[in-house]
Amino acid sequence: VQLVESGGGLVQAGASLRLSCAASGRTFSSWRMGWFRQAPGKEREFVAAVWGGAYTSYADSVKGRFTISRDNAKNTVYLQMNSLKPEDTAVYYCAASTGVGTYGTWGQGTQVTVSS
């Protein structure tokens, strides 16, 4: 299983970005997929997850602004980020849980920088 993120960049506060995570593997639709982020000097934190077709969960800090979705035909998960804030600046990682348990596969990360 490999995960490759894309879509990061430098934007101004209030702007939008969409991150993509392309996965290899034949059973993608059954995986729980998540987005995490790590800001400089901080621990990695949960952002959003999608599983079971349409179940989603979000960190309180991004609820109402971020939307996670997946396209099983393309083996891709997305993170639509709206109303970005400087505090959203971080490296964003895609992760997959391909069985029971924690996320065992991670992408290389993509940098998101939001200027004020």
Side-chain angles (χ1 to χ4, degrees), residues 4-10 17-21 35-38 79 81 88-94 107-113:
V4 179
E5 301 101 332
S6 61
L10 170 63
L17 278 176
R18 188 177 80 156
L19 305 183
S20 300
C21 173
W35 285 97
F36 294 76
R37 66 187 182 186
Q38 187 167 20
L79 185 67
M81 305 185 295
D88 294 317
T89 295
V91 177
Y92 283 70
Y93 298 91
C94 174
Q108 82 287 353
T110 185
Q111 177 71 47
V112 172
T113 303

Side-chain angles (χ1 to χ4, degrees), residues 3-4 14 21 30 36 45 50 62 70 74 81-82 88 94 96 109:
L3 304 174
V4 179
C21 173
S30 67
F36 294 76
E45 65 176 2
V50 60
V62 306
R70 67 193 302 163
K74 296 182 178 179
M81 305 185 295
N82 298 329
D88 294 317
C94 174

Side-chain angles (χ1 to χ4, degrees), residues 28-31 33 53 70-76:
F28 173 80
S29 61
S30 67
W31 302 347
M33 299 297 297
R70 67 193 302 163
D71 185 336
N72 290 331
K74 296 182 178 179
N75 276 20
T76 301

